[in-house]
Amino acid sequence: MTVEIRGEPSDAGSSAPPKRREILNGAITVASILLFVGTGSSVLSTTVRRYFYGGEGPDQTLVIALLLNVALILFGWRRHRELAHEVTIRTAAEERAQMLAAKDPLTGFLNRRSLAEEGAAMFVRAQARNKAMALLMLDLDHFKMVNDMHGHATGDALLQQVALQIAEAMPSVALTARFGGDEFACALLFDAAHPATVERIAEKLVSQLAQPFRIEGLQLHISVSVGISRSDFDCASIDALMRSADIAMYAAKNSGRNRFAWFDLSMERELQARNELEVGLRNAIPRQEIVPYFEQQIDLTTGRLSGFEVLARWEHATRGLIVPDTFIPIAEETGMIADLSLSLMRQAFLAAKDWDAALSLSVNISPSQLRDAWLAQKIIKVLTETGFPASRLEIEITETALFDNLPLAQSIVGSLKNQGIRLALDDFGTGYSSLAHLRALPFDRIKIDKSFIMSMTENTESAAIVTAITRLGDSLNLPITAEGIEDLAVEERLRGLGCGKGQGYLYGRPTSIANTRRLLAERRLLQNAASEAGEPDERRAG
């Protein structure tokens, strides 16, 4: 992408040498002209007297001096023209440097520094005129995907079209800026009693940028998240206004994108809480405070326990047990998810190493982890170091993860399958192109998303989807696991459809390592316990 230029404009001192040379050259030229007038008049008068009255001719020294004067004048005039041209070029370069220092070269909008400077002046005008100043912070949704799939040239062309749409939606007196990447900002004055004026502009931006863009034969789809702050609500400066709009923009993005949000103080408190969680998470992962919990997976045909899905829980020192919905998104945003996942695997593999050999472990992989070309090697290394059999491991991948980079996913999956690790397609039916992915990757199992299972008794569409998926799995010889089973009626209906496995609160909530081990010991599903007792195992769900 285009790099924002922030260089300071050249100062006057940098052009001083040409100016001094020009002055010196001018002085020499003037002196030469004066000398020419003096010597020329003397030579001319002497020559005229000789021609008309006879007598001696002009002094040869004066003639030579006159010729030298002529040559010096011609040289000086030529040099003056060269210097004038040099000064013109230098002035134009300085003006361009000043423009580049103030403007984004790709869109022609202001850059961050210029918006801060001109925005500060607008802030003062708003107070003087009893107006309010609104700052809109815009961040394009899914722009990175466009860059990754179609290249930076297409991304730049898209940004230019977006800039045109923004300029069209804003009043002529508004300030428009690009902060680099896919982030824009706009500022305008409005009547504090009528904030709907600003909302109409924000709605127009959201609506226009959600429409498809056509660039070089491609149809590109993005959207925009907009945060709005106002100078009369707890914003004492342009810097505070920009920060508040930025917080509101992230709130809009976290609320589902493709929308706008006004800043309020609760957003700042939520951001502070989120930052505290991020700091705590950075310490919690190496301390192994993020621990595995195990959710039972039941064979619906026999009712026996067949394995567990590994889930993450944060055993926080002061806040108690924190569920993954609270910290997993933070781990994914900050890039900590890879370390968290491998740490969780290591703990789970060590805990399950001496469980009954028929019990499997299912581990979900984050979409961001599938961008790591070394993921398969990292998982195999953890298996080797812990001594957990690869044949007892099932890796779950969501469809959204495959959409980012299918060729890389195929390479990773191939390496895992070569080690005997099984592969499950998780959250089936909620992604982009399920059938294409089933053909492209060697899945061993399909998992139906719990949103369909939990609503199938009340929602005919959900029931139809579950029926279709189970029939598809049967035709492709792919076993089905149903998530989110919470009552016997749903279990019975799934069993009738031929669904192979199920998991959910009907069979118990996820349990810690210690409680899971206690459960397995009671059912004699620990290898040592089973061998010592010499009795058949008891796998029935309870």
Side-chain angles (χ1 to χ4, degrees), residues 277-344:
L277 276 176
E278 180 182 336
V279 172
L281 191 59
R282 292 190 183 279
N283 296 322
I285 294 172
R287 293 174 183 169
Q288 293 192 348
E289 294 175 10
I290 312 298
V291 298
Y293 268 52
F294 301 93
E295 182 175 7
Q296 297 182 48
Q297 294 179 327
I298 304 300
D299 186 321
L300 295 183
T301 303
T302 64
R304 293 177 179 274
L305 178 66
S306 62
F308 295 87
E309 180 175 356
V310 179
L311 306 174
R313 295 292 186 270
W314 184 354
E315 294 182 340
H316 197 279
T318 57
R319 297 179 55 176
L321 201 64
I322 301 177
V323 295
D325 290 348
T326 303
F327 62 87
I328 291 296
I330 298 174
E332 290 179 335
E333 290 172 18
T334 56
M336 291 187 278
I337 190 65
D339 290 340
L340 187 156
S341 180
L342 291 173
S343 172
L344 205 66

Side-chain angles (χ1 to χ4, degrees), residues 105-320:
L106 181 66
T107 63
F109 281 5
L110 300 173
N111 59 27
R112 183 185 293 271
R113 186 185 66 181
S114 299
L115 180 70
E117 293 172 353
E118 297 194 26
M122 179 180 280
F123 194 94
V124 173
R125 288 198 304 274
Q127 294 176 324
R129 299 176 186 177
N130 291 322
K131 298 277 189 180
M133 177 179 172
L135 186 71
L136 287 73
M137 197 74 71
L138 297 78
D139 189 81
L140 303 184
D141 306 321
H142 315 300
F143 177 74
K144 184 179 183 300
M145 188 179 297
V146 173
N147 251 0
D148 291 344
M149 292 181 65
H150 304 293
H152 290 283
T154 300
D156 284 352
L158 177 59
L159 289 173
Q160 289 174 327
Q161 289 199 21
V162 167
L164 291 175
Q165 295 282 359
I166 293 173
E168 180 184 333
M170 299 302 298
S172 59
V173 293
L175 301 177
T176 54
R178 175 177 172 239
F179 287 176
D182 60 347
E183 192 172 7
F184 295 82
C186 308
L188 68 152
L189 299 182
F190 71 101
D191 186 342
H194 298 93
T197 304
V198 181
E199 291 182 355
R200 282 194 294 271
I201 293 173
E203 287 171 350
K204 185 176 181 180
L205 286 168
V206 171
S207 175
Q208 286 184 343
L209 296 183
Q211 301 303 313
F213 290 84
R214 294 201 65 83
I215 296 175
E216 297 179 354
L218 299 171
Q219 185 166 290
L220 305 176
H221 294 269
I222 59 169
S223 58
V224 68
S225 300
V226 183
I228 315 172
S229 60
R230 48 189 295 174
S231 59
D232 54 336
F233 280 14
D234 300 306
C235 290
S237 66
I238 184 64
D239 290 337
L241 199 63
M242 292 171 68
R243 181 176 181 274
S244 297
D246 202 48
I247 292 172
M249 181 269 290
Y250 279 106
K253 194 172 285 288
N254 292 333
S255 297
R257 307 172 187 260
N258 192 32
R259 65 193 66 204
F260 71 88
W262 284 94
F263 170 78
D264 64 57
L265 291 176
S266 65
M267 294 178 181
E268 191 163 19
R269 289 192 292 269
E270 289 173 6
L271 181 63
Q272 184 177 357
R274 184 235 180 250
N275 289 340
E276 289 175 358
L277 276 176
E278 180 182 336
V279 172
L281 191 59
R282 292 190 183 279
N283 296 322
I285 294 172
R287 293 174 183 169
Q288 293 192 348
E289 294 175 10
I290 312 298
V291 298
Y293 268 52
F294 301 93
E295 182 175 7
Q296 297 182 48
Q297 294 179 327
I298 304 300
D299 186 321
L300 295 183
T301 303
T302 64
R304 293 177 179 274
L305 178 66
S306 62
F308 295 87
E309 180 175 356
V310 179
L311 306 174
R313 295 292 186 270
W314 184 354
E315 294 182 340
H316 197 279
T318 57
R319 297 179 55 176

Side-chain angles (χ1 to χ4, degrees), residues 32-50 56-59 61-67 69-70 73:
S32 300
I33 292 173
L34 293 175
L35 187 58
F36 171 77
V37 171
T39 57
S41 60
S42 175
V43 170
L44 182 61
S45 61
T46 305
T47 302
V48 169
R49 281 197 304 271
R50 180 184 179 188
E56 294 183 0
D59 189 340
T61 302
L62 288 176
V63 173
I64 294 173
L66 178 62
L67 294 175
N69 275 170
V70 172
I73 289 170

Side-chain angles (χ1 to χ4, degrees), residues 7-18:
E8 294 289 340
S10 300
D11 57 18
S14 62
S15 58

Side-chain angles (χ1 to χ4, degrees), residues 12 28 59 74 78 113 155 165 208 221 259 266 286 308 329 354 380 436 465 494 500 515 523 540:
I28 293 173
D59 189 340
L74 293 175
R78 181 180 175 184
R113 186 185 66 181
Q165 295 282 359
Q208 286 184 343
H221 294 269
R259 65 193 66 204
S266 65
F308 295 87
D354 66 343
I380 294 166
I465 290 172
L494 290 168
N515 289 336
R523 299 185 187 182
R540 291 287 176 179

